[in-house]
Amino acid sequence: MSPIWSAEIAELERRRAMADELGGPEKIHRQHAAGRSTVTERVADLLDEGSFEQIGGLAGFPGETGEHIVPTNFVFGVGTIAGRRVAVGADDFTVRGGAADASIMAKQVDSERLAAAYRLPLIRLIEGTGGGGSVRMLEQSGYTYVPANPGWDTVVDNLSLVPVVAACMGPVAGLGAARVVMSHFSVLIEGSTQLFVAGPPVVRHATGEDLDKEQLGGAEVHRRSGAVDQIVPDEASALDAIRGFLSYLPSSVHELPPVVEGREASGDVEHLADVVPRSRRQPYRLRPVLDAIFDAGSVFDYTCYSGSVYTGLARLDGHPVGVVATDPYKGATMTPNGADALTRLVDLCETFHLPIVSLTDQAGMMIGLQAEKTASIRRGARAVAAVYQARVPMAEIIVRRVFGVGGAGQINRHRYNRQWAWPSGDWGSLPVEGGIEAAYRADLEASDDPEAMLAEIRERLEAVRSPFRTAERYGVQDVIDPRRSRELLTSWVRDAYRVVPELLGPPSFGTRP
């Protein structure tokens, strides 16, 4: 005997089968031919096997025949990553190129509301415009409209509530591009994805620039633009980056960062005593320093565009922390882009309660004509303001330089933070080398042997600039053997995590992208 509702159950299965067809075999073939996975393949690859619970899977539009239903081009729901619940919203490029007005917009809005309601990290897999659609659709609808970004109140609020991650999974423009940057972490795939405010045809009409998609918004454009945080080689790497980033963060601002079992550092701790050359002009490699201080395999590079300013996440004895440092092979000063990256890292740590470790080697803000053209001082001051607004515990190891406003503001030295300096520490309002000629100009001009006098002045100042002189006056808390750095930071991080619970809840100011 058949169930009473057997006909409806059969219809339900028929409709689910149609939804699984996405935009049809031809569109799926084109997606694969372009080297990109379908929306269902991506979601399956991202999440724990079999964990995805789709919401609104039956929503769609009548096809050419009344019996066929074309699914909406936005898939969303709940799943798990390493057992943790997450919300996922993903565009389907096989249905009208992912344009939001080709879907039922409520699904995209509800993906944001879902994350907010249940305090779940939100992952956006974005491909297409995400809004607006084509001019052809205006003719079909018979009217136009005054734009409003759908659900944007929740989009903005989510930045101060849950971790938000976005990945460009194909060409992304318009509202889709805005959804990418309205995140705490964003990824672009080299060669197969692009990000732009408007695509090549619109740009050609508006500005006369004749550019293809890659020239307009590909990896080489965004490697230093600051619009995306990481550039990766393929889709698998993009999904790995998403999983890695979320592993450091709590599910919402109302929870603590996840502490895991600690690992010993993989780097050579003994090497720390030799890593900084005696010649102040000679750079050193940052990566061996990170590997010798933080848990093995835990260092996660955050921003790709920051030049000499390194920003990352890592673990100390299993405890997540934010990391700011300087890569001397990329420069010594805080560039405007580096200042933006520092702001971004500090705001992330303040929002989600991660203590911050500064491996300080900062020669000050970038100077020169290009620095002035790119608002070096304003963007640098904004970074300093972010540091001073942050309430999370901070610790500083002065590796080498601390100069100028940039060096002074890398951590907030007006509150109590733990601080250690290596014997290679060198600090002041400005480097001695840059100030001797100005400070002693009259004496040098009056000298019979200015070169000899200059050498004598340098020798006297070399003794004055010794970090031990500063330590004698308690101008620095302690000078340490560099090989003790991990030991001391590991002890500090346990103290830091005792006070972090007092910071639970939203940040004192709304997080901005």
Side-chain angles (χ1 to χ4, degrees):
M1 184 174 178
S2 298
I4 295 175
W5 296 97
S6 58
E8 286 79 4
I9 292 173
E11 176 64 10
L12 171 61
E13 295 307 314
R14 188 182 78 87
R15 287 174 176 260
R16 290 200 186 282
M18 286 189 289
D20 290 341
E21 294 174 0
L22 306 180
E26 182 181 340
K27 295 290 182 65
I28 291 174
H29 175 74
R30 286 173 58 182
Q31 184 80 352
H32 287 159
R36 302 198 296 270
S37 303
T38 66
V39 63
T40 50
E41 291 166 341
R42 288 168 181 162
V43 171
D45 289 342
L46 173 68
L47 301 176
D48 296 342
E49 186 175 357
S51 70
F52 185 53
E53 305 164 19
Q54 186 176 172
I55 300 171
L58 298 181
F61 303 89
E64 295 181 1
T65 68
E67 296 297 312
H68 185 70
I69 303 296
V70 178
T72 61
N73 56 12
F74 187 81
V75 173
F76 87 105
V78 179
T80 63
I81 293 178
R84 287 178 62 196
R85 299 277 278 182
V86 297
V88 180
D91 297 332
D92 180 3
F93 198 73
T94 69
V95 179
R96 303 191 194 180
D101 64 355
S103 71
I104 295 177
M105 179 56 71
K107 289 180 68 176
Q108 190 180 107
V109 174
D110 265 6
S111 69
E112 303 286 334
R113 295 170 65 193
L114 167 69
Y118 291 98
R119 312 277 172 82
L120 298 174
L122 175 61
I123 301 166
R124 305 185 188 121
L125 303 180
I126 304 173
E127 184 174 15
T129 64
S134 68
V135 174
R136 180 187 295 272
M137 299 199 70
L138 297 178
E139 185 176 10
Q140 293 172 354
S141 61
Y143 66 94
T144 186
Y145 54 87
V146 176
N149 292 330
W152 219 243
D153 50 349
T154 310
V155 169
V156 171
D157 289 346
N158 274 344
L159 288 176
S160 298
L161 180 63
V162 296
V164 180
V165 180
C168 300
M169 306 303 288
V172 177
L175 181 61
R179 289 166 61 216
V180 169
V181 300
M182 288 292 289
S183 65
H184 298 107
F185 178 65
S186 57
V187 183
L188 184 139
I189 301 169
E190 189 165 11
S192 64
T193 73
Q194 301 83 29
L195 175 74
F196 26 64
V197 177
V202 177
V203 169
R204 193 176 304 116
H205 171 76
T207 71
E209 296 170 287
D210 190 9
L211 304 168
D212 62 27
K213 289 187 294 185
E214 194 65 19
Q215 292 170 324
L216 182 60
E220 290 310 307
V221 174
H222 291 302
R223 206 174 296 280
R224 294 178 180 83
S225 73
V228 294
D229 296 309
Q230 271 193 23
I231 294 173
V232 297
D234 50 41
E235 285 194 11
S237 300
L239 301 183
D240 280 344
I242 290 170
R243 287 187 290 261
F245 177 76
L246 290 177
S247 71
Y248 297 87
L249 303 180
S251 293
S252 80
V253 297
H254 299 284
E255 299 177 29
L256 294 171
V259 177
V260 300
E261 185 176 351
R263 297 180 179 179
E264 290 299 319
S266 62
D268 181 4
V269 173
E270 293 297 318
H271 176 62
L272 294 180
D274 297 316
V275 69
V276 179
R278 284 197 173 274
S279 169
R280 295 185 179 94
R281 291 183 174 275
Q282 187 175 343
Y284 58 86
R285 295 291 179 188
L286 175 62
R287 189 63 56 179
V289 177
L290 300 175
D291 289 343
I293 290 177
F294 299 104
D295 291 10
S298 77
V299 177
F300 181 91
D301 299 341
Y302 185 30
T303 50
C304 68
Y305 55 84
S306 50
S308 61
V309 177
Y310 173 84
T311 57
L313 302 172
R315 293 186 182 90
L316 284 166
D317 192 31
H319 298 72
V321 295
V323 181
V324 58
T326 295
D327 186 342
Y329 273 86
K330 295 181 180 179
T333 58
M334 182 186 296
T335 64
N337 267 9
D340 291 347
L342 176 57
T343 303
R344 191 159 169 76
L345 176 76
V346 171
D347 284 353
L348 175 76
C349 293
E350 171 64 12
T351 300
F352 296 108
H353 326 306
L354 273 68
I356 296 172
V357 174
S358 175
L359 304 177
T360 307
D361 183 4
Q362 180 51 258
M365 294 181 189
M366 190 174 95
I367 61 174
L369 180 59
Q370 187 59 32
E372 305 305 338
K373 286 183 176 180
T374 51
S376 173
I377 189 63
R378 179 181 291 278
R379 292 160 74 182
R382 185 171 183 266
V384 173
V387 169
Y388 272 67
Q389 286 175 327
R391 303 163 299 166
V392 293
M394 299 181 185
E396 175 181 44
I397 290 183
I398 300 176
V399 174
R400 195 183 233 175
R401 292 159 293 201
V402 188
F403 291 112
V405 175
Q410 189 144 322
I411 72 163
N412 181 358
R413 298 193 182 94
H414 289 91
R415 56 178 276 201
Y416 189 82
N417 292 303
R418 292 293 278 120
Q419 179 193 67
W420 302 274
W422 287 3
S424 48
D426 185 26
W427 40 66
S429 296
L430 75 167
V432 168
E433 291 82 0
I436 292 177
E437 284 82 354
Y440 293 91
R441 177 184 299 173
D443 298 309
L444 291 169
E445 289 176 350
S447 172
D448 294 333
D449 190 349
E451 288 298 321
M453 175 176 277
L454 187 60
E456 181 187 344
I457 294 170
R458 284 176 174 158
E459 185 176 350
R460 295 200 310 263
L461 289 174
E462 196 64 33
V464 171
R465 76 196 296 183
S466 165
F468 298 113
R469 290 283 188 94
T470 308
E472 288 170 8
R473 298 298 183 94
Y474 194 54
V476 64
Q477 288 179 19
D478 204 355
V479 179
I480 62 167
D481 181 334
R483 293 170 292 190
R484 295 192 63 206
S485 299
R486 175 177 168 82
E487 166 203 340
L488 293 166
L489 285 173
T490 299
S491 179
W492 160 82
V493 81
R494 297 190 189 104
D495 290 336
Y497 266 79
R498 287 178 51 245
V499 301
V500 161
E502 300 173 12
L503 305 178
L504 290 182
S508 58
F509 54 90
T511 302
R512 296 170 298 277

